Amino acid sequence: MGSSIQDDHCENPSGGRKSHHSEQVKKNLVTRLNRIEGQIRGIRGMIEKDTYCDDVITQIASTQSALNSVAKILLEGHLKSCILERINEGDTEAIDEVLVTIEKLMKK
């Protein structure tokens, strides 16, 4: 039974893993990413217009913060769904996967 839960939620029919966010969470993430995309275009425009460097850096910091927020939402959902399911099924390698992911997020 535990395996079928994982199959229903964390794997797609071709055997690879997939996320399983609600439509509301997906909409929230897409909205945030669209906003971030706009911020990136704004940064490019600031550079093209020779905007004062500190103002550009401030906008970059804001964009990085927004990306971190998206990553936090994704990580929380991942921990509460796929990782929890895998651990409950005895797959302790899921912990190592999360540690590697957190390490990637913390590199700057």
Side-chain angles (χ1 to χ4, degrees), residues 12-105:
N12 65 32
S14 65
R17 293 183 184 159
K18 67 171 186 158
S19 66
H20 54 277
H21 305 292
S22 70
E23 288 304 314
Q24 182 179 357
V25 170
K26 279 197 256 187
K27 184 177 179 181
N28 178 14
L29 291 171
V30 169
T31 298
R32 287 172 183 262
L33 290 170
N34 286 338
R35 194 175 310 128
I36 292 166
E37 186 177 5
Q39 287 177 297
I40 296 293
R41 284 192 303 271
I43 292 167
R44 183 182 59 226
M46 292 172 81
I47 291 172
E48 290 171 346
K49 295 175 187 174
D50 297 319
T51 302
Y52 185 60
C53 294
D54 191 59
D55 294 337
V56 177
I57 292 167
T58 298
Q59 186 61 36
I60 290 170
S62 174
T63 304
Q64 286 174 325
S65 178
L67 275 172
N68 287 341
S69 180
V70 169
K72 180 182 170 189
I73 292 167
L74 288 168
L75 182 59
E76 180 180 351
H78 186 52
L79 287 169
K80 290 180 176 180
S81 59
C82 292
I83 297 301
L84 180 60
E85 290 170 10
R86 288 175 59 193
I87 290 171
N88 284 339
E89 293 172 356
D91 181 2
T92 58
E93 290 180 14
I95 295 168
D96 293 330
E97 177 187 296
V98 171
L99 291 173
V100 169
T101 300
I102 291 170
E103 183 179 330
K104 288 176 187 176
L105 285 173

